[in-house]
Amino acid sequence: MICAMLDQIADQIRHTPNPTTSLDLFCGAGGLTLGLQQAGVECAVACDSWKPAADTFKLNFPGTAFLQADLSSATAHDLMRAAGLRERPTIVAGGPPCQGFSSAGRRNAHDPRNTLVAAFARVVADLSPEFLLFENVEGFLTLADGDAVVSLLDPLIEAGYSVHLRKVNAANFGVPQHRKRVVAIGSRTSEPFFPNPTHTAYGAPGAMLAGSTLPPTPTLAEALEGLPPPGKARPHAGIQDHILRPLRNGDTERAELLQPGQRMRDLPSNLQHTSYQRRAFRRVMDGTPSEKRGGAPAGLRRLRGDEPSKAITSAAVSEFLNPFEDRYLTVRECARLQTFPDAFRFAGTLSEKATLIGNAVPPMLAHALANSIVHSLTSAPLKTTSSGRLLSLVPTLSSGMSPALQNVMSRVRRRYLHEGNEPERAYAQLAFDA
């Protein structure tokens, strides 16, 4: 149902030159590019340093210029030359690698990949597009006591951008998956809009707070509707990467016991993975040194068909069980839950494909963000000053915050909210504006 709609939108995209152009930095599989394209924005050039990402992007966007390079060394001139652009693009979009930030693994503030956030902000400041779109994992907000936030906002605000920085759940925008991400939308010329949630969702804390009267998010079962049974040795015609993989390392016995919604902790201790037992009592808590972070992983779990999926990660093909059958999710099922059309192809090994899908921005979420920017192009209030500022920071829809998040909020207030910037009103927005 979802992918049929995306395919229909994609068929309507005009292939004539479009004056609204974007650059997609750290493009990965191309989820952001696809969402922008569905909103009528043509990608002028994409950039990524990882070969499977480059190969995947070229498969699906053959008419788009591609620069396979490390953005920490690439310059604005390199990107303009690769795109053949004489004028700056309308939008620079990107999601720097998230491994150093993600709460799914150990966070390391000194991971060199984290500096790519600053590289993204530098390229935006150098290219001076009208709009910027940034995406990252939710742990981005509290990494290194807010250093990651500062490394993003400082160059942008100094360059004159008015910026919204908010945490969202992709399920509140119709993605059949609970996927919390941090999104920034900024403009050099206006006070841009930020999209309002379109759906309400069950199955994760805070998902209903976006609006209980909104239409329900599609469930996992609805998202996978229409897929045939996975092939045993080769995929069905026209549906790539939909192949049955045998359960391994004792997972057959585990799968027989796990009911929908249950995970490793619900199994007898003799059936729990050794790695799970080692970490089962290590809590992920704010204030713990980053090198010691990590907590009890979900490990093997059976998903529920009557709710949106849990967040699809690179491990989903080996840790998530189909809610109705004793088998792992296929690569194509993971792509469906990320809202990639069935015709979208992924290059590389099984592990590389799983990583590309797990790291991608869901095209449906990207489409909603892109629509908001396109609307801002013609309707957003123009800035009355050339100075940049933080328009809002929404770190949670809940009324409560962890100590670490409270500390970052205080730091943000001191750094970006000052006399003449309506600090009290703005601070209320920081905590509660949705």
Side-chain angles (χ1 to χ4, degrees), residues 18-24 41-45 76-77 79-81 83-93 122-132 159-161 187-190 377:
N18 192 319
T20 306
T21 58
S22 67
L23 302 188
D24 189 349
V41 179
E42 290 297 327
C43 183
V45 64
H77 176 72
L79 295 167
M80 294 284 284
R81 184 174 58 185
L85 293 177
R86 295 182 179 180
E87 298 181 358
R88 58 190 170 210
T90 313
I91 305 164
V92 171
R122 170 182 53 79
V123 169
V124 171
D126 289 347
L127 284 174
S128 194
E130 193 168 347
F131 289 86
L132 68 96
Y161 284 88
S187 174
R188 183 175 47 80
T189 59
S190 67
L377 275 166

Side-chain angles (χ1 to χ4, degrees), residues 76-234:
H77 176 72
D78 293 333
L79 295 167
M80 294 284 284
R81 184 174 58 185
L85 293 177
R86 295 182 179 180
E87 298 181 358
R88 58 190 170 210
T90 313
I91 305 164
V92 171
C98 63
Q99 290 91 334
F101 303 146
S102 177
S103 60
R106 295 185 179 184
R107 304 197 307 176
N108 182 355
H110 303 293
D111 188 322
R113 289 169 293 198
N114 296 349
T115 64
L116 295 178
V117 173
F120 171 86
R122 170 182 53 79
V123 169
V124 171
D126 289 347
L127 284 174
S128 194
E130 193 168 347
F131 289 86
L132 68 96
L133 173 59
F134 168 90
E135 184 267 0
N136 221 295
V137 297
E138 62 175 327
F140 169 82
L141 289 175
T142 53
L143 179 70
D145 300 321
D147 282 354
V149 173
V150 170
S151 69
L152 174 71
L153 292 180
D154 266 7
L156 298 180
I157 292 176
E158 184 178 346
Y161 284 88
S162 296
V163 182
H164 293 288
L165 185 65
R166 305 188 180 189
K167 185 168 75 173
V168 302
N169 186 338
N172 291 134
F173 294 88
V175 178
Q177 172 196 164
H178 288 293
R179 189 180 188 85
K180 295 179 181 179
R181 288 298 186 265
V182 174
V183 173
I185 291 179
S187 174
R188 183 175 47 80
T189 59
S190 67
E191 296 194 354
F193 302 124
F194 196 96
N196 292 318
T198 56
H199 293 72
T200 189
Y202 298 87
M208 286 187 62
L209 296 177
S212 58
T213 61
L214 296 172
T217 300
T219 65
L220 181 150
E222 290 170 332
L224 301 186
E225 184 180 356
L227 273 177
K232 293 185 177 180
R234 63 183 66 180

